[in-house]
Amino acid sequence: MTRQELLQQSGTFLARFAYEVKVANAMGLFDINTVAEDFLIPIFKIAFDCPDLCNQNRIQMNFPAVDLGCKTSKTSIQITSDSSSSKVCDTLEKFESHGLGNNFDSLFVYVITERQKSYTSQKLKEAVNSLSIEFDPSSDILDFQDLAKRLGELTNEQLEHINSHLEVEFKKTDVNLQFRSNLDAFLGVNQQKIEDEKRTKKYIPSVFVETSETKEEMRYFANPMFFYRKIDDDLRRIDLAYFNQLLSMAKIEPVADSLSEITTLEAPNSLPELRARLVQQSTTLEAIQEHVSPFSWNGDRAERYAPSDYLTGYWEVFRHSIESNGSGVFSSIEKVTKKIGITQAKIFLITGMAGQGKTNFVCDLIENQFKVFEVPTIFIPARSLNDYPGPNRILSYVINNRFAPDVTSLHDLFTLLNSVADECQKPFILAIDGINEVGDLDGFVAELRVFLEALCQYDFVKIVITCRSEFFSHKFAGVFEPQFSNHLYRVQDLRSEMSDENRSRLITAYLRHFEINASFSKHAMEFLKNDLILLRIFCEIHEGNNIGYVPDIYKGDIFEGYLIKKIDEFPTSSKQKALNSLYKICTRMLDEENFSQIRVEGFDDSEQQIIEQMIGEDIILRREVPSTDLASLGVENISFTYDELRDFLIAYYTVAELGESHPTQVAAIFEKIPKWPIYEGFFRYAYVLARKKNSDTVLAACEASDNFENHYLNNLSLLSADIQTPDDVNRVENVLKDSTAEDDLKHIAWFLFRKREGSEHLNIRILLDHVSRLDEEESERFMRAIFSNSHDFGGDAWRDRVSHLLNSLKDLSDEQKFGLEVPVLALTLHFVPYARWDERETTLNFFTKFRHTQVIGDAIDACKNAASVKVQNCLKEIAEERPEL
């Protein structure tokens, strides 16, 4: 390139830079002036012969008068977009007042837009005359045209160096401009990732029941410019005036009330202004809280207030009021401080066990909150990072988007995202869901630490991360603590505070989404409420069906149905392979006697593909926290997501595969299993499956086991209607007749009380028939046994529980009471003689009032053959007219 071409190129670049600064300032983006300081340093180093020129603000924050300085040439330069005489005058006055003439021999003012044609103001002349160094406005106030003239005095080599710098910088600018123009398209591709989560049913919007507290916290984190006002509202509600009034009455110095100062601050116009505002509020609150703490029950106990001797009397009079009010003030400040901390945090971490809805929470957040408030977000399902090599998986994922910026490093990416955030005045959010799903955990741990180190250097880039609790504790805790503790806010359990109402809403939402028409007994409904993974499995196997009334939930049937459904999704040629892969896992667990996790080495490629597909759904299999021993380094471990599903599958394998062909192996398993952690779960499913599949070998092994009777009674709830027999009825009746085993008696009685389906062999009528045969003494002994508990020490506390049960009827409407049906209502009459007077009279009045209705009349008739005189006396009272209470 000729010298003329070099000069023309540099002049064009400088003119473009001046124009873009002018446009940016017109748009109110004055931070471009700060960017210009670093942009111009490499040029000025050569043009002004300042080899050690550096940004003075990097040496000392808010360095006065000048932006750039060189200690070698003693040259200083002020960078400004304000070309006015008053700005130059202000610079000169500050230069002199701060004694910078002792450090620098020369001063230049560089106007990055365009200088005035002349500087002739009298005030400027006076400032120049007062300056301790030489300064000539005509030659020392420069703009891009003056700089271009200086470049004309340089060598070709120097020009090439400057042009190379300008070319690189403007290439970055062009990339930024292109990215901004493509931003909507870039984020649109990101939204497609949410749609992918919907298709795989990892995110089901219609079954999301929000955890309102965590969602509220996320608002402060992700959209602080909008929600900081709520912090101001909370501050205004803190009443220090009354607290100080109480202190005054106790002759104690009041706390300085500086709350008004931080609630009347000017509204911020930018994220940097908001950050400074929050720092000021946080500092003020910390000082107030420190003064309130000695008067608060929630404060530091080591710093309790101790009055001077002559003030002890005042303190004792007002102490309770002061500490009560002080505790309220302290707690209010603590809550606001927490919100400020969340607003300032850079990392929002959500941990929890599998099935708590972490993916649903994050996807809903992005789709229905961030999108509405136009918070720019990149969503990263962590399992997708397995498609990219380390150590830059996250960067590779982000730029694998045809609208992504042309960046090659994390810092290039974060610089770009930070500038986007600064322009839209909302943080740029990255959301990585399920970091435990990255296969190379050790490699990813190191990569994540480097990633977060880079991210935390940028003011307006933030990240949301989810992780399973056990993985976090084992692998990732060291990444976040203590290095990023000042940047971190953690939610440890999304569902810990989930209300019963929300659980009911969740079940309704699941049934609606999976188009299941069903009604549930109270027992079945509670069962599903308390096991959200089982709820998901239940809905998947019944999708699109009308299943009618569900009196009981049989886990074994649900597990078998789900496994059949999932294996059926494989191609016909792979179905048997899929089942055999699961059997192979069971075999290895039994052989190694290790049921928490196994290594995947030894599985062929097709088996590993099957395993990986099941891991992806995270319901049958999951990737497990790896072992820490040397021999296991680099070896992937897996386990069953759901322990009971594991127990069922091992039992299924034992019954279906080993039962007939390997009886000696079955015997060996039953000999060892009492020492294994899966004992209870394996036994219950082995017994049920052996009955269902007529496996005499396994059934005989079960019945020959020690404590078989206990196992049998504990697992009655697993005996579905299709495998119940008259032998089960005989077993249960024998337990009821043996009044010495009170725990067994209670267990059987309440099991039968819940079994309302008359078509099953085991149902409530067995209990009704039994109590009907009990005479006076036997009946009271039976009722005492089933209503007592281990905490009772004699007395008749058990009668209170009878009364409590009858009292619960008062909350039901008459129609609901009739819906309890005949056996329940008949048993109620057997309970009545042992209740307290109020509940006894209320219950008998109900039966008297409705004795002529069909269902109540049938319940009364069902008790007419009762052997108990007390029950017969109740029937006589009902038959007579009873006075209204």
Side-chain angles (χ1 to χ4, degrees):
M1 187 179 291
T2 67
R3 181 174 181 80
Q4 186 61 34
E5 288 172 332
L6 289 170
L7 289 170
Q8 186 176 354
Q9 185 183 53
S10 61
T12 301
F13 280 139
L14 292 174
R16 176 183 168 183
F17 183 67
Y19 173 76
E20 289 182 359
V21 170
K22 196 179 293 185
V23 171
N25 284 345
M27 296 172 63
L29 303 176
F30 297 105
D31 61 307
I32 190 69
N33 301 340
T34 304
V35 174
E37 296 168 11
D38 293 326
F39 178 89
L40 292 168
I41 286 175
I43 304 170
F44 287 172
K45 276 185 177 182
I46 298 172
F48 291 87
D49 192 18
C50 301
D52 296 317
L53 190 68
C54 61
N55 193 325
Q56 295 300 107
N57 287 317
R58 299 282 188 271
I59 301 172
Q60 177 185 327
M61 286 296 291
N62 299 316
F63 192 88
V66 297
D67 298 309
L68 311 180
C70 175
K71 62 183 179 181
T72 303
S73 65
K74 292 196 172 182
T75 300
S76 61
I77 304 172
Q78 169 70 4
I79 308 293
T80 179
S81 59
D82 184 352
S83 62
S84 67
S85 294
S86 59
K87 172 61 179 177
V88 178
C89 187
D90 182 57
T91 298
L92 300 183
E93 289 174 350
K94 285 183 178 178
F95 185 95
E96 191 61 28
S97 66
H98 286 88
L100 297 184
N102 297 323
N103 302 324
F104 303 110
D105 294 337
S106 60
L107 168 65
F108 295 95
V109 176
Y110 185 80
V111 182
I112 51 179
T113 51
E114 193 172 3
R115 74 190 297 278
Q116 292 179 177
K117 290 183 179 179
S118 63
Y119 290 86
T120 58
S121 76
Q122 184 61 37
K123 189 174 180 182
L124 178 57
K125 289 179 182 178
E126 292 173 0
V128 169
N129 292 334
S130 300
L131 205 60
S132 59
I133 64 171
E134 293 292 327
F135 183 85
D136 184 352
S138 63
S139 59
D140 295 337
I141 302 174
L142 312 171
D143 63 12
F144 73 95
Q145 294 176 1
D146 300 301
L147 182 57
K149 291 176 185 177
R150 275 184 170 261
L151 297 187
E153 300 171 5
L154 302 178
T155 65
N156 284 5
E157 186 180 355
Q158 289 174 318
L159 282 173
E160 286 174 355
H161 187 78
I162 288 173
N163 283 355
S164 176
H165 165 71
L166 289 168
E167 194 170 357
V168 168
E169 291 300 319
F170 278 111
K171 185 178 180 181
K172 289 181 183 177
T173 301
D174 291 338
V175 166
N176 292 358
L177 291 172
Q178 183 181 357
F179 178 59
R180 285 179 176 83
S181 66
N182 290 335
L183 184 59
D184 288 343
F186 174 81
L187 296 177
V189 172
N190 176 65
Q191 179 62 32
Q192 189 58 46
K193 302 299 180 182
I194 301 290
E195 297 302 319
D196 292 343
E197 298 297 276
K198 291 178 185 176
R199 277 191 291 275
T200 59
K201 293 185 179 177
K202 279 189 163 292
Y203 169 39
I204 306 176
S206 59
V207 304
F208 176 67
V209 176
E210 70 179 42
T211 47
S212 54
E213 182 178 346
T214 307
K215 188 173 183 179
E216 181 74 5
E217 291 168 347
M218 185 63 75
R219 288 179 171 135
Y220 293 99
F221 176 81
N223 197 3
M225 282 294 288
F226 189 86
F227 289 100
Y228 80 87
R229 300 173 184 84
K230 299 188 78 172
I231 292 174
D232 286 355
D233 289 341
D234 289 343
L235 287 171
R236 281 188 277 269
R237 281 193 284 270
I238 299 174
D239 186 6
L240 266 181
Y242 181 64
F243 177 66
N244 277 334
Q245 185 180 341
L246 291 171
L247 291 179
S248 297
M249 288 190 286
K251 308 299 182 184
I252 299 172
E253 190 73 21
V255 174
D257 189 351
S258 47
L259 286 173
S260 59
E261 298 174 13
I262 57 174
T263 54
T264 56
L265 296 170
E266 285 190 18
N269 293 311
S270 66
L271 287 171
E273 288 183 15
L274 174 62
R275 183 179 54 193
R277 190 180 200 271
L278 292 171
V279 168
Q280 184 178 346
Q281 289 178 328
S282 181
T283 303
T284 301
L285 287 175
E286 186 179 344
I288 295 173
Q289 193 172 34
E290 186 179 346
H291 287 127
V292 174
S293 178
F295 305 103
S296 167
W297 298 319
N298 305 316
D300 185 353
R301 290 289 176 183
E303 297 183 6
R304 308 307 298 153
Y305 174 74
S308 302
D309 291 342
Y310 72 96
L311 294 176
T312 302
Y314 290 100
W315 173 243
E316 291 304 321
V317 170
F318 295 104
R319 176 175 184 167
H320 184 269
S321 297
I322 289 172
E323 291 189 337
S324 176
N325 192 263
S327 298
V329 171
F330 187 93
S331 178
S332 297
I333 292 175
E334 212 164 42
K335 289 176 182 176
V336 180
T337 301
K338 177 184 175 183
K339 289 179 180 178
I340 292 175
I342 295 171
T343 305
Q344 295 174 308
K346 304 275 297 166
I347 305 166
F348 197 105
L349 173 67
I350 303 170
T351 59
M353 301 302 292
Q356 286 192 334
K358 297 183 292 297
T359 297
N360 254 23
F361 176 80
V362 170
C363 290
D364 175 81
L365 192 72
I366 294 169
E367 187 171 47
N368 298 315
Q369 184 172 337
F370 293 178
K371 188 177 179 181
V372 170
F373 284 97
E374 298 181 333
V375 177
T377 308
I378 297 173
F379 173 63
I380 305 174
R383 67 183 183 281
S384 298
L385 298 178
N386 292 315
D387 298 332
Y388 302 91
N392 287 306
R393 296 173 180 86
I394 302 174
L395 178 63
S396 299
Y397 177 91
V398 171
I399 62 178
N400 186 29
N401 177 326
R402 67 192 182 100
F403 301 106
D406 183 15
V407 296
T408 57
S409 73
L410 285 177
H411 287 289
D412 287 345
L413 174 65
F414 289 142
T415 298
L416 184 54
L417 301 186
N418 202 64
S419 64
V420 170
D422 196 25
E423 286 182 17
C424 69
Q425 295 305 311
K426 299 179 182 76
F428 204 116
I429 306 290
L430 292 101
I432 306 181
D433 179 43
I435 56 175
N436 51 274
E437 294 184 28
V438 177
D440 176 21
L441 276 179
D442 290 323
F444 187 65
V445 163
E447 180 180 333
L448 185 62
R449 182 180 287 108
V450 172
F451 184 85
L452 294 177
E453 281 176 352
L455 181 143
C456 287
Q457 296 174 44
Y458 295 83
D459 294 330
F460 313 128
V461 182
K462 296 189 174 190
I463 190 166
V464 177
I465 295 174
T466 72
C467 182
R468 278 214 335 250
S469 299
E470 63 271 33
F471 276 87
F472 179 79
S473 300
H474 185 80
K475 274 290 177 186
F476 293 102
V479 174
F480 293 91
E481 298 283 356
Q483 184 173 359
F484 301 109
S485 56
N486 291 336
H487 301 288
L488 176 69
Y489 180 72
R490 181 183 176 190
V491 175
Q492 297 199 39
D493 189 350
L494 270 178
R495 299 295 180 192
S496 61
E497 301 300 326
M498 195 173 187
S499 66
D500 189 67
E501 180 184 353
N502 274 355
R503 290 181 186 274
S504 296
R505 285 174 54 207
L506 193 63
I507 289 181
T508 301
Y510 260 112
L511 296 175
R512 187 185 304 116
H513 173 80
F514 285 95
E515 298 179 344
I516 298 171
N517 187 9
S519 61
F520 298 87
S521 69
K522 183 178 179 182
H523 176 66
M525 179 66 77
E526 289 300 316
F527 203 97
L528 292 177
K529 276 184 186 180
N530 294 319
D531 195 328
L532 298 183
I533 296 181
L534 191 73
L535 171 61
R536 170 66 181 268
I537 295 174
F538 177 89
C539 289
E540 285 215 24
I541 65 175
H542 292 297
E543 184 171 8
N545 293 327
N546 181 354
I547 57 176
Y549 179 65
V550 181
D552 268 305
I553 300 292
Y554 296 104
K555 283 188 176 181
D557 292 346
I558 293 176
F559 292 152
E560 185 171 10
Y562 185 73
L563 289 167
I564 290 171
K565 175 182 172 64
K566 287 298 155 185
I567 290 173
D568 201 45
E569 291 175 359
F570 285 90
T572 303
S573 59
S574 301
K575 289 179 182 178
Q576 191 60 46
K577 186 82 170 181
L579 181 60
N580 289 337
S581 296
L582 290 174
Y583 283 167
K584 189 170 180 177
I585 294 171
C586 294
T587 301
R588 184 167 291 183
M589 285 186 165
L590 289 168
D591 290 345
E592 296 179 0
E593 299 184 19
N594 178 5
F595 305 98
S596 58
Q597 56 180 292
I598 66 162
R599 295 168 295 176
V600 295
E601 61 180 2
F603 289 82
D604 63 34
D605 290 344
S606 60
E607 289 170 336
Q608 291 208 20
Q609 287 177 6
I610 289 167
I611 289 170
E612 195 61 36
Q613 183 172 332
M614 291 184 181
I615 287 173
E617 295 180 349
D618 206 28
I619 293 181
I620 297 177
L621 295 175
R622 68 185 182 191
R623 188 168 282 106
E624 196 52 89
V625 176
S627 302
T628 55
D629 61 299
L630 188 61
S632 300
L633 289 178
V635 177
E636 185 177 34
N637 295 302
I638 60 169
S639 70
F640 289 98
T641 299
Y642 195 31
D643 286 350
E644 278 208 66
L645 180 57
R646 172 202 63 196
D647 299 346
F648 172 83
L649 194 51
I650 294 175
Y652 194 95
Y653 167 69
T654 302
V655 172
E657 290 295 302
L658 306 179
E660 298 305 319
S661 57
H662 297 83
T664 55
Q665 198 169 342
V666 171
I669 290 172
F670 274 86
E671 184 178 343
K672 293 179 180 178
I673 202 167
K675 301 175 183 177
W676 292 347
I678 64 167
Y679 178 42
E680 296 289 343
F682 171 85
F683 196 101
R684 73 168 63 99
Y685 291 117
Y687 177 68
V688 170
L689 288 166
R691 289 183 58 165
K692 184 173 287 191
K693 299 185 179 299
N694 298 314
S695 175
D696 294 336
T697 301
V698 177
L699 193 59
C702 289
E703 293 182 347
S705 298
D706 294 337
N707 298 321
F708 168 70
E709 290 301 326
N710 287 338
H711 284 296
Y712 176 83
L713 294 179
N714 289 337
N715 297 310
L716 272 175
S717 60
L718 297 177
L719 300 180
S720 54
D722 59 316
I723 61 172
Q724 294 174 16
T725 68
D727 286 341
D728 293 310
V729 176
N730 291 335
R731 282 180 186 271
V732 166
E733 287 180 337
N734 287 336
V735 174
L736 291 174
K737 292 173 185 175
D738 183 7
S739 59
T740 58
E742 289 193 356
D743 287 342
D744 292 345
L745 197 67
K746 184 188 301 185
H747 179 78
I748 290 291
W750 294 116
F751 164 76
L752 292 172
F753 187 74
R754 292 192 300 267
K755 300 289 284 185
R756 311 290 167 81
E757 190 58 49
S759 61
E760 296 187 26
H761 285 287
L762 298 175
N763 66 74
I764 192 172
R765 287 192 176 275
I766 297 173
L767 178 62
L768 177 60
D769 291 343
H770 176 73
V771 297
S772 295
R773 291 191 291 267
L774 301 178
D775 63 22
E776 199 78 359
E777 183 179 341
E778 293 168 335
S779 177
E780 181 166 339
R781 188 163 56 246
F782 181 83
M783 295 301 171
R784 180 190 293 271
I786 69 172
F787 282 100
S788 294
N789 68 35
S790 58
H791 300 296
D792 293 340
F793 298 97
D796 57 357
W798 64 276
R799 294 182 186 272
D800 293 328
R801 297 188 189 93
V802 179
S803 300
H804 179 74
L805 178 64
L806 296 183
N807 192 48
S808 65
L809 291 173
K810 291 198 301 186
D811 298 329
L812 303 178
S813 66
D814 290 340
E815 287 301 316
Q816 288 174 317
K817 291 172 186 173
F818 299 153
L820 293 174
E821 300 181 350
V822 171
V824 176
L825 293 166
L827 278 169
T828 300
L829 287 173
H830 282 273
F831 298 151
V832 164
Y834 306 101
R836 303 300 185 187
W837 186 85
D838 284 350
E839 286 75 18
R840 178 182 184 279
E841 291 302 299
T842 300
T843 305
L844 290 178
N845 283 339
F846 166 75
F847 276 89
T848 301
K849 180 179 179 180
F850 294 104
R851 66 184 184 276
H852 298 302
T853 62
Q854 182 70 48
V855 67
I856 299 300
D858 289 347
I860 293 170
D861 289 342
C863 295
K864 284 186 176 177
N865 294 324
S868 169
V869 174
K870 289 184 178 180
V871 174
Q872 292 298 336
N873 288 339
C874 287
L875 296 181
K876 290 177 183 177
E877 288 189 51
I878 292 170
E880 299 170 359
E881 285 295 331
R882 295 172 56 79
E884 291 290 335
L885 292 178

